[in-house]
Amino acid sequence: MTNKKLILQIDFRSGLPIYTQIVNQVQAQIASGILKPDHQLPTVRALAEELRVNFNTVARAYRILDEARIISTQQGRGTFITESLPPKVTERLRREALEALTQRYLSEALRLEFSKSEIRQTVNDQLKTWNEANEPKK
Amino acid sequence: MTNKKLILQIDFRSGLPIYTQIVNQVQAQIASGILKPDHQLPTVRALAEELRVNFNTVARAYRILDEARIISTQQGRGTFITESLPPKVTERLRREALEALTQRYLSEALRLEFSKSEIRQTVNDQLKTWNEANEPKK
DNA sequence: GCAACATTGATACATTTAGTACAATTATGA
DNA sequence: TCATAATTGTACTAAATGTATCAATGTTGC
């Protein structure tokens, strides 16, 4: 049973609309396989309470994901991940997720006036550390 | 609960732009501890009405303070004081800030099961784009 | 004087919150 | 079984809030 709890991190200062952040993160977790088909998402009201956000905002995110056929919202029942998407779609979502995540990171770092070489260096250093830490993964 | 009302004194004859006076006084009140982190500031319209100025002028002051990371403006929600930063950012703190930012980025990317080479590739690609986009900065 | 710039104002817009009502489904209990 | 309540998503309106863009006005330097 994959009863994993949905964990989202909303950044209220990012400038990105909250509903967009929810859409992006759910998409990313589905594309990455963290959320699997038939998995039930939190109710709009429960997720709204957890994120300290109005439930209409969550409903808007769910509606967008539903229209994209990524989740299936069912009145009176709940919200579920749809059957596995075509690999091509999954791959696209995965790539978009990484690009969005990276863009947020870089724009923040550059705004704080870190140089591109500093950033590159830090990313490489930390990746190397992670290499040694948990490389043999499956 | 620190529900202190923001009180500003604008001098319309001082020659200083109104938005500058707002910026200075909010900054001063935060520095002196009158306004504390997470405190919600008046809305641009409420403060504008109180000061008898256009709300765009208040919005401009808030935008400047937001860009300086002193406050956090959130569309549809309001404006809040951010955590106070040390007045002088040392080189060590600078480095720690970048490392923390990078760690958050990488742990999220790795949680989504992106490979280290994918991440490196995406970071480098986007850094290159940024190079061309806004490198010649006057 | 005038051109360039800064400041302020006006207007339309996007986002979030709030509230209410409703339909569909599920759970409960007599 | 059946009636009722609770849960869940949907729809809609209204208001609050910050944002973007351009126009009007004021200031400054030549």
Side-chain angles (χ1 to χ4, degrees):
Chain A
M1 156 121 67
T2 54
N3 229 350
K4 198 159 287 192
K5 182 170 178 299
L6 178 64
I7 296 189
L8 300 182
Q9 275 301 329
I10 302 301
D11 182 356
F12 292 102
R13 313 190 241 166
S14 74
L16 276 180
I18 298 169
Y19 69 87
T20 302
Q21 296 184 49
I22 297 174
V23 167
N24 289 344
Q25 293 186 38
V26 171
Q27 255 182 1
Q29 294 193 25
I30 292 175
S32 298
I34 294 176
L35 299 173
K36 301 200 181 332
D38 282 342
H39 182 94
Q40 178 164 15
L41 294 175
T43 69
V44 290
R45 288 172 177 82
L47 183 54
E49 184 176 6
E50 182 175 322
L51 300 180
R52 313 292 203 87
V53 140
N54 191 273
F55 77 87
N56 288 301
T57 304
V58 176
R60 183 171 179 180
Y62 278 9
R63 183 167 52 76
I64 291 172
L65 288 165
D66 183 274
E67 286 167 355
R69 310 295 188 103
I70 290 170
I71 65 177
S72 161
T73 57
Q74 300 169 24
Q75 187 170 339
R77 283 176 44 80
T79 301
F80 305 85
I81 314 279
T82 53
E83 291 311 310
S84 45
L85 299 166
K88 191 164 287 187
V89 176
T90 303
E91 191 42 48
R92 181 174 57 79
L93 293 182
R94 235 176 80 81
R95 183 162 28 82
E96 287 174 357
L98 179 56
E99 283 170 0
L101 193 62
T102 304
Q103 179 160 341
R104 265 193 300 151
Y105 162 65
L106 290 181
S107 65
E108 177 72 2
L110 289 170
R111 200 165 66 75
L112 293 175
E113 298 188 331
F114 290 109
S115 74
K116 287 169 281 293
S117 55
E118 276 179 302
I119 295 171
R120 227 188 310 264
Q121 182 72 43
T122 306
V123 168
N124 285 334
D125 285 352
Q126 292 201 10
L127 275 179
K128 185 174 294 182
T129 302
W130 247 299
N131 257 320
E132 295 152 2
N134 50 4
E135 164 67 278
K137 159 132 208 213
K138 99 164 164 195
Chain B
M1 158 106 70
T2 56
N3 230 350
K4 197 157 284 194
K5 182 169 177 299
L6 178 65
I7 297 189
L8 301 183
Q9 279 300 330
I10 301 301
D11 181 354
F12 292 98
R13 285 178 272 186
S14 73
L16 273 181
I18 298 168
Y19 70 87
T20 302
Q21 296 184 49
I22 297 175
V23 167
N24 289 344
Q25 292 186 38
V26 170
Q27 247 177 353
Q29 294 197 21
I30 292 176
S32 67
I34 295 175
L35 299 173
K36 300 199 183 331
D38 281 340
H39 183 93
Q40 179 165 14
L41 293 175
T43 69
V44 290
R45 286 173 177 81
L47 183 54
E49 182 176 7
E50 184 174 319
L51 301 180
R52 313 296 195 91
V53 301
N54 190 274
F55 77 86
N56 289 295
T57 303
V58 177
R60 182 169 179 180
Y62 278 10
R63 183 167 52 76
I64 291 171
L65 289 165
D66 183 278
E67 286 168 355
R69 326 264 309 146
I70 293 170
I71 66 176
S72 161
T73 58
Q74 302 169 20
Q75 185 170 346
R77 292 171 67 86
T79 301
F80 306 85
I81 315 254
T82 56
E83 300 75 36
S84 53
L85 291 175
K88 190 154 79 82
V89 178
T90 69
E91 182 53 38
R92 187 174 63 82
L93 289 179
R94 224 179 88 83
R95 169 137 307 277
E96 284 173 358
L98 178 57
E99 283 174 356
L101 191 63
T102 305
Q103 180 160 340
R104 277 205 301 278
Y105 162 65
L106 290 180
S107 65
E108 177 65 11
L110 290 168
R111 184 168 82 95
L112 294 174
E113 299 187 345
F114 291 108
S115 74
K116 288 166 287 290
S117 57
E118 277 179 301
I119 295 171
R120 230 187 315 263
Q121 180 74 43
T122 306
V123 168
N124 286 333
D125 285 351
Q126 292 201 11
L127 275 177
K128 184 178 294 182
T129 302
W130 246 299
N131 260 318
E132 295 151 2
N134 49 3
E135 167 65 88
K137 220 201 139 151
K138 142 154 61 173

